[in-house]
Amino acid sequence: MDLIGGYLLLLLVLFTANIALILGNYKFNNVKLIVASAISFAISFSLMYLSSYLNTQLAFLLDNFSYIFFIIALIIIVSMICYVKRDKLQASLYAVMIAFLISMVLFASQATLDIFTMLLYSLLVFVILFVVYQLTKLLHHAKREYPVIVGEYMSLFAVLMFIFALTYNSTLNLDYTMFSSFLILTPTYHLIYVIIGIIVVLVVGVLINDSKGGNS
């Protein structure tokens, strides 16, 4: 996996989880949730595929992603403030979604992704949105208020983006040949397969549990 592809994967995971947490304020049944997840899958794959044709046009971004990380951090902070103010819940959701889509286009345009990897990333978006939304049902019963939990997540998300902004240029200039032995020991795709497998098992478990609850 190339560096930009790795950053793209992290952004997909973090943004999708953030969107699912905010959606936790709304009630969706499993059918609507699956439809929303499927739409997210389709949009993610389409944008990544189309972005691959913008590689040359947006090549200047490769040395400027530190600024993009900084902007993402600011957007998340502003979204967190809007989220805490309950009357601006939709504004927070829209801001995060727009930042998610733009970030996906920018990073996917400079990442080295084949069709299989795009499908894999899009499937991850589908699964994370579904699973995290299901987890929000439990978080609503936590001792802490739900907005506090989501706000803490968003603040940590923003901090991570600030760290990426500060370290991107240094990371870009690393000599990755010195890490080849470690990469051999940790095949990235195998690790992703395991994670997706675990998440699929959790999803199946949730669906079975819901079906039993509905029959009882």
Side-chain angles (χ1 to χ4, degrees):
M1 182 184 298
D2 64 297
L3 176 63
I4 306 303
Y7 280 129
L8 174 61
L9 176 60
L10 286 172
L11 286 172
L12 289 176
V13 171
L14 294 173
F15 267 118
T16 305
N18 200 161
I19 292 171
L21 288 171
I22 298 177
L23 289 177
N25 293 278
Y26 304 94
K27 292 184 179 180
F28 291 93
N29 57 35
N30 284 334
V31 175
K32 290 182 178 179
L33 181 58
I34 290 175
V35 171
S37 300
I39 292 174
S40 300
F41 171 90
I43 292 175
S44 299
F45 178 78
S46 300
L47 286 179
M48 281 188 280
Y49 181 78
L50 294 175
S51 297
S52 62
Y53 293 99
L54 300 175
N55 183 280
T56 305
Q57 292 87 336
L58 301 177
F60 67 93
L61 290 172
L62 197 58
D63 296 322
N64 296 287
F65 276 127
S66 57
Y67 300 107
I68 296 175
F69 281 126
F70 183 73
I71 293 172
I72 292 173
L74 292 179
I75 292 175
I76 296 300
I77 291 175
V78 173
S79 302
M80 180 178 63
I81 296 173
C82 292
Y83 178 80
V84 172
K85 297 181 178 180
R86 302 289 291 175
D87 58 328
K88 296 185 178 180
L89 182 62
Q90 289 186 345
S92 176
L93 177 61
Y94 294 151
V96 172
M97 291 178 67
I98 292 173
F100 171 55
L101 297 176
I102 294 176
S103 300
M104 188 191 307
V105 171
L106 296 181
F107 281 85
S109 69
Q110 300 306 306
T112 306
L113 304 177
D114 53 26
I115 296 295
F116 176 75
T117 305
M118 294 178 189
L119 286 171
L120 198 61
Y121 281 17
S122 302
L123 178 61
L124 198 59
V125 170
F126 176 96
V127 173
I128 290 176
L129 184 63
F130 185 91
V131 172
V132 174
Y133 182 84
Q134 295 289 357
L135 292 176
T136 61
K137 299 176 182 178
L138 298 176
L139 294 177
H140 277 288
H141 298 288
K143 292 183 178 180
R144 287 187 174 185
E145 294 184 2
Y146 186 74
V148 175
I149 297 174
V150 179
E152 289 178 346
Y153 172 88
M154 296 177 75
S155 64
L156 291 175
F157 186 3
V159 168
L160 181 60
M161 292 301 102
F162 273 122
I163 292 174
F164 283 170
L166 295 173
T167 60
Y168 173 77
N169 289 331
S170 298
T171 305
L172 188 65
N173 294 322
L174 284 175
D175 181 7
Y176 289 94
T177 57
M178 63 188 295
F179 300 109
S180 58
S181 58
F182 295 99
L183 293 177
I184 292 173
L185 293 174
T186 55
T188 306
Y189 287 116
H190 290 181
L191 182 60
I192 295 177
Y193 295 153
V194 172
I195 294 173
I196 290 179
I198 293 173
I199 294 175
V200 168
V201 171
L202 290 174
V203 172
V204 173
V206 169
L207 291 174
I208 293 175
N209 184 60
D210 284 351
S211 63
K212 287 183 177 180
N215 295 330
S216 58

